[in-house]
């Protein structure tokens, strides 16, 4: 009986020690806005520039920002942001910091993309400069609280794979 209890306790301790939640990292509450279209937006700073209003999209595999925002940040020039591009794509950049509220991720890869649907949404809801996608939010246990218009982000020990590299392979 003692041996079974010891093994149960040992198993529980092993399970707790391999938990995906980063023990020392506290949860952070981030304000969100729910648009009339039911999209969720959050305020984002890229390389400490902003804030920019981005859609928090749990179905998006990747994060991206508009050419206009990329020019303000200095990732591309204003002239590059105005030039025509294939499907609105202006390249991929790795940024020093990407902050949603008080949560900061370093070295996040972003697409620079002028998404036509976000441009239409901007006409109705005001400026929207991109999408926060999987490569950001997969690093957190995310709780969406519609009643209080808040996201709770709790860091986890998971580093998402580089989605675009996997797609190209």
């Amino acid at each position: 009986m003692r041996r079974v209890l010891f093994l149960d306790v040992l198993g529980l301790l092993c399970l707790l020690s391999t938990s995906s939640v980063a023990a020392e990292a506290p949860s952070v509450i981030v304000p969100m806005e729910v648009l009339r279209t039911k999209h969720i937006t959050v305020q984002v700073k890229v390389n400490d520039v902003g804030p920019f209003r981005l859609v928090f999209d749990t179905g998006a595999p990747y994060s991206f920002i508009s050419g206009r925002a990329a020019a303000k940040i200095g990732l591309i020039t204003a002239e590059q942001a105005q030039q025509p591009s294939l499907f609105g794509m202006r390249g991929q950049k790795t940024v020093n910091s990407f902050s949603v509220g008080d949560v900061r991720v370093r070295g996040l890869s972003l697409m620079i993309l002028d998404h036509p649907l976000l441009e239409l949404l901007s006409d109705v809801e005001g400026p929207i400069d991109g999408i926060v996608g999987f490569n950001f939010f997969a690093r957190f246990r995310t709780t969406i609280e519609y009643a209080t218009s808040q996201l709770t982000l709790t860091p986890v020990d998971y580093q998402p794979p580089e989605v675009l590299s996997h797609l190209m392979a």
Side-chain angles (χ1 to χ4, degrees):
M1 179 69 167
R2 281 183 164 170
R3 187 174 191 184
V4 171
L5 182 60
F6 173 75
L7 291 175
D8 287 344
V9 171
L10 183 62
L12 181 60
L13 290 174
C14 288
L15 180 64
L16 292 174
S17 69
T18 60
S19 171
S20 64
V21 176
E24 68 280 349
S27 296
V28 175
I29 295 174
V30 176
M32 67 179 200
E33 177 185 7
V34 180
L35 305 179
R36 288 177 291 173
T37 59
K38 304 306 176 205
H39 291 90
I40 297 170
T41 62
V42 292
Q43 298 294 311
V44 174
K45 288 187 176 183
V46 180
N47 292 347
D48 297 321
V49 178
F52 300 100
R53 189 171 172 221
L54 275 65
V55 171
F56 192 90
D57 188 347
T58 59
Y62 211 71
S63 299
F64 67 84
I65 58 170
S66 67
R68 182 176 65 86
K72 285 183 181 178
I73 297 162
L75 300 175
I76 60 174
T77 66
E79 293 78 28
Q80 289 171 317
Q82 294 300 317
Q83 292 177 354
S85 62
L86 182 63
F87 302 114
M89 294 173 52
R90 302 184 186 287
Q92 179 181 350
K93 299 283 183 173
T94 298
V95 296
N96 294 328
S97 68
F98 187 88
S99 301
V100 176
D102 291 335
V103 175
R104 179 180 293 226
V105 170
R106 299 205 178 274
L108 188 75
S109 183
L110 292 176
M111 281 300 283
I112 301 170
L113 173 68
D114 292 320
H115 196 292
L117 290 177
L118 285 187
E119 290 176 9
L120 288 174
L121 186 58
S122 293
D123 291 343
V124 174
E125 295 286 356
I128 297 175
D129 284 306
I131 286 182
V132 178
F134 174 80
N135 64 331
F136 172 83
F137 69 74
R139 302 160 194 259
F140 304 93
R141 178 182 304 131
T142 304
T143 304
I144 300 171
E145 300 177 52
Y146 290 97
T148 59
S149 294
Q150 296 177 328
L151 293 175
T152 302
L153 301 172
T154 304
V156 296
D157 294 326
Y158 177 73
Q159 290 298 311
E162 180 56 50
V163 176
L164 290 180
S165 300
H166 287 284
L167 286 175
M168 299 308 268

